[in-house]
Amino acid sequence: NSPTMYILERARVKNRFPRFGAPIPLMDGFLHDTVFYTHSVSPAYFVSLVQSFSLNLCLVFCFRIASAHYILQECALELVQTYVSYVDAQSHYGGQYFVTFIDDFSRKLWAFVLKTNDRVLSIFKEFHARAKKESGQKLKVVRTYNSDEYIGQFQLYCKNQGIKLESTVLKTLELNGLVERMNQTIMETVRSMLSHARLLKSYWAKAMLTIVYLINRSPSMPLKGDVPQRVWTGRNVSYQQLRVFRCLAYMHVAKDLRSKLDRKSKPCIFLGYSEDEFGYMLWDLLDKKVVWSRDIVFMEDKTIEDWKQIKTVSSSQSAAVMESTLANPSTTQLTDKQQLTDEIKYEPTSTQ
């Protein structure tokens, strides 16, 4: 499972931040670019894929190499693996756990944020209903690790639904290794994205959902370069909607939510996507809340630091003008009087 390095040369330079994952600065300094961190991919397939993206001149891609001899299931929902992970930081809504489900046939990934781990059963019921309707198949086997979240009522539900529940032996997590490694990959990428974006740990849930969205649209080695989302839905995947995580964005304010003199846009930070929502997930920098919108202008080469710098400069200029006004009130009155005289002087005369 050691990663291999693949260097891609690009002649056209438009955007130095990748849209498919978290860029990590190289430590040795021999390349002044970024490391592209993503899920299992085929190098040959990815070379053709990135032609539609505006990436930097030289990118180093890390590929997690999966076993080429792994045998996939014959159809969707024949085997689903699940795993619950704990995060030592609360999200904005108080979540400290997340549970993942992976369909072994398509490698489609689902992830849900939990406040407490006793909600696994209710989330599983929601996942079961959705996956069954989307695929048109019956869920046959669920493989879990031997923990308290998957006993009791969970076992009873699987029995009533005709689902075979496979539990691994204690201290043998390798039997459920696919989903466990996936959770580790998610957390490593979350850490990288938050570090690069300089965001607080409370943003981990937003970053995690974005990572899941991207993994489902990344080429997978067990699928021989195919994409989990395309295998699951049977439809081609579009990449035109991808944007750079944590970039600065300006969201349009609807006409009925502002007065005539209010600004028509709000500065936000791009946080990601969702399978259940149309549009983009943003953090409103003024109202301090998560919002969803489709009418957005992205500035993918700008971050929250650039916005803070502009805000600081504007505040300093305003403070300087105020100090000057308080220090020389007569000058200000004279300036206002002169401006009024100029306006009267140049006012157009009415014609008969």
Side-chain angles (χ1 to χ4, degrees), residues 76-77 103 128-139 232:
L77 297 186
D103 174 45
H128 182 204
R130 178 188 301 183
K132 182 179 178 181
K133 187 173 183 179
E134 289 180 358
S135 65
Q137 303 288 337
K138 291 184 178 180
L139 179 56
W232 175 258

Side-chain angles (χ1 to χ4, degrees), residues 40-59:
S40 303
V41 292
S42 169
Y45 183 90
F46 208 81
V47 169
S48 61
L49 178 65
V50 296
Q51 300 300 322
S52 60
F53 294 100
S54 301
L55 302 180
N56 207 344
L57 179 63
C58 187
L59 299 178

Side-chain angles (χ1 to χ4, degrees), residues 22-49:
I24 311 170
L26 291 176
M27 302 304 294
D28 54 9
F30 79 97
L31 286 175
H32 301 285
D33 295 299
T34 55
V35 173
F36 193 89
Y37 190 93
T38 184
H39 187 50
S40 303
V41 292
S42 169
Y45 183 90
F46 208 81
V47 169
S48 61
L49 178 65

